[in-house]
Amino acid sequence: MTPRLNVHFIHVKPPNLPAGQKAIPLLMVHGWPGSFYEFYGIIPLLTEPGKHGLDPNFTFEVICPSIPGYGFSEAPHKKGLDAIAAGRIFYKLMLRLGFSEFYLHGGDWGSLITTTMSQMKPESVKGLHLNVVFLGKGGFKVLISLILGRYLPWLVGMTREDVKLIYPYFEKNVYAVLRESGYLHIQATKPDTVGSSLNDSPAGLAAYILEKFSTWTNPDYRALEDGGLDRKYSLDDLLTNVMIYWVSGSITSSMRFCKENLSHESRFGLVARTPVYVPTGIAAFPHELMHNPKIWVKERHKNIVNYNYMPRGGHFAAFEEPELLARDIQNFVSKVEKNAK
């Protein structure tokens, strides 16, 4: 018998859709250490855009699931639930909700999950919108563009914005990743060890999670006494996200998802190397952990419709800058729909 998992999701339909207009189905997937709650601020902008000064012609029906093992979605009972498995689960969810075609948005692990869905079921995915891009191995082209890009960006397809976000390379990429990736090594190898500690201490859990909402929002916040947490978020919103992990006891199972995707037996490399052909939109936020220029992204995403440099914001785009992200999603879908016609 096929094992079943109870999957939690929120499903918001437009409350006042004009006669004759159809809502556009949009699946939005979170990452770690976020949750479905990251999308609470952006959902009204997408489901009632006219009420919030956005284009009412692009009104969405939004579905936000919790990744299995996160929050109120049941944790897997055996090994092997990685981004590919999560993508299959969410595809079945969309079919059961009555959607044979839909748009996708993802950040963090949500980016990887929605990308795998686009690879597996391109006939169902009308468009893929991301604020984080996972690339495969850099290769010779990336190396050459890194060497020449600082002084001759136009020669290797880089823009001035790319140069500003990438260089000095070691400071903004190598050292930045070393500073921020300690958690990744732990969770990819021994998630249960640290998970047991965090499940036993609400203060410890809050510290572990909120530190990411500080440094991943803006690396400059690292130097502030309070981590700059209230510059982009309310404490109520931050603690709500922490409480979703605390009341569900899901921090350990959420970290196991990292191990499943990054262990030596994982399929992460295969996913990262496989081309994506569905229409793709990229929102490049300036304080994202690593910046990937369009010229690099095109090596994998073969049908880029939109690539926008966002004026502000970091890793938790929907949580930090819901209006900026909502407008970019609308702009992307507008172009895809126009091209389809």
Side-chain angles (χ1 to χ4, degrees):
M1 186 176 182
T2 304
R4 293 179 179 271
L5 284 176
N6 291 318
V7 175
H8 162 266
F9 63 96
I10 53 176
H11 183 187
V12 184
K13 300 180 180 180
N16 300 303
L17 200 62
Q21 182 179 347
K22 289 185 177 181
I24 302 166
L26 173 66
L27 178 77
M28 307 186 80
V29 185
H30 66 89
W32 186 93
S35 65
F36 67 93
Y37 187 70
E38 286 182 66
F39 300 118
Y40 264 51
I42 199 173
I43 288 174
L45 306 180
L46 296 169
T47 56
E48 299 178 272
K51 186 177 175 181
H52 299 278
L54 278 72
D55 189 347
N57 294 310
F58 295 94
T59 300
F60 296 87
E61 184 170 341
V62 180
I63 301 92
C64 300
S66 296
I67 299 170
Y70 285 70
F72 307 120
S73 277
E74 186 179 359
H77 300 280
K78 61 179 183 178
K79 293 181 180 180
L81 198 145
D82 57 6
I84 295 176
R88 286 201 303 265
I89 290 169
F90 292 162
Y91 173 68
K92 289 179 182 177
L93 169 64
M94 294 302 281
L95 291 182
R96 291 182 184 183
L97 291 175
F99 302 117
S100 58
E101 292 185 323
F102 44 83
Y103 284 89
L104 299 172
H105 167 78
D108 197 87
W109 285 132
S111 170
L112 187 62
I113 292 169
T114 53
T115 299
T116 63
M117 293 175 70
S118 302
Q119 292 165 326
M120 290 187 292
K121 293 293 179 180
E123 68 276 12
S124 294
V125 178
K126 297 185 73 176
L128 170 68
H129 188 273
L130 306 171
N131 60 270
V132 174
V133 182
F134 288 93
L135 299 179
K137 293 180 179 178
F140 185 68
K141 286 185 179 179
V142 171
L143 179 61
I144 291 297
S145 64
L146 275 177
I147 294 171
L148 299 178
R150 180 72 181 268
Y151 305 103
L152 300 168
W154 53 270
L155 189 62
V156 291
M158 284 192 190
T159 66
R160 291 180 180 179
E161 289 85 355
D162 292 330
V163 173
K164 191 187 305 180
L165 293 170
I166 291 175
Y167 301 99
Y169 182 75
F170 280 93
E171 179 185 328
K172 291 190 174 181
N173 293 272
V174 178
Y175 299 148
V177 169
L178 288 174
R179 277 195 300 264
E180 293 298 331
S181 62
Y183 82 99
L184 193 66
H185 298 287
I186 296 172
Q187 292 176 193
T189 54
K190 298 177 174 64
D192 288 32
T193 304
V194 67
S196 298
S197 304
L198 299 178
N199 267 333
D200 198 46
S201 169
L205 179 67
Y208 195 77
I209 288 176
L210 294 183
E211 178 247 317
K212 303 306 177 194
F213 281 90
S214 168
T215 57
W216 293 2
T217 298
N218 189 328
D220 293 339
Y221 291 173
R222 191 183 295 112
L224 302 177
E225 275 191 29
D226 62 357
L229 287 169
D230 61 356
R231 297 193 177 193
K232 282 292 183 77
Y233 316 104
S234 73
L235 289 181
D236 278 348
D237 283 343
L238 290 171
L239 291 176
T240 296
N241 184 66
V242 172
M243 285 300 292
I244 289 169
Y245 283 89
W246 178 252
V247 299
S248 62
S250 62
I251 189 63
T252 305
S253 53
S254 75
M255 294 191 295
R256 286 179 188 151
F257 191 69
C258 182
K259 188 175 189 299
E260 294 289 359
N261 284 297
L262 298 180
S263 67
H264 68 278
E265 304 99 347
S266 78
R267 299 174 286 187
F268 180 83
L270 174 64
V271 173
R273 291 190 300 270
T274 302
V276 180
Y277 293 99
V278 303
T280 303
I282 310 294
F285 284 84
H287 294 306
E288 184 52 74
L289 296 173
M290 287 188 70
H291 174 70
N292 289 307
K294 183 179 180 180
I295 191 69
W296 297 357
V297 177
K298 284 170 64 177
E299 289 295 307
R300 185 184 182 207
H301 292 268
K302 304 299 185 180
N303 187 6
I304 296 179
V305 174
N306 243 18
Y307 185 104
N308 287 332
Y309 299 93
M310 309 307 283
R312 59 187 179 275
H315 186 71
F316 303 99
F319 214 20
E320 296 174 50
E321 300 289 347
E323 185 174 340
L324 281 179
L325 186 63
R327 289 186 185 278
D328 200 70
I329 291 172
Q330 277 199 332
N331 186 30
F332 165 65
V333 172
S334 169
K335 289 185 177 181
V336 174
E337 294 288 316
K338 185 179 179 180
N339 291 343
K341 289 178 182 177

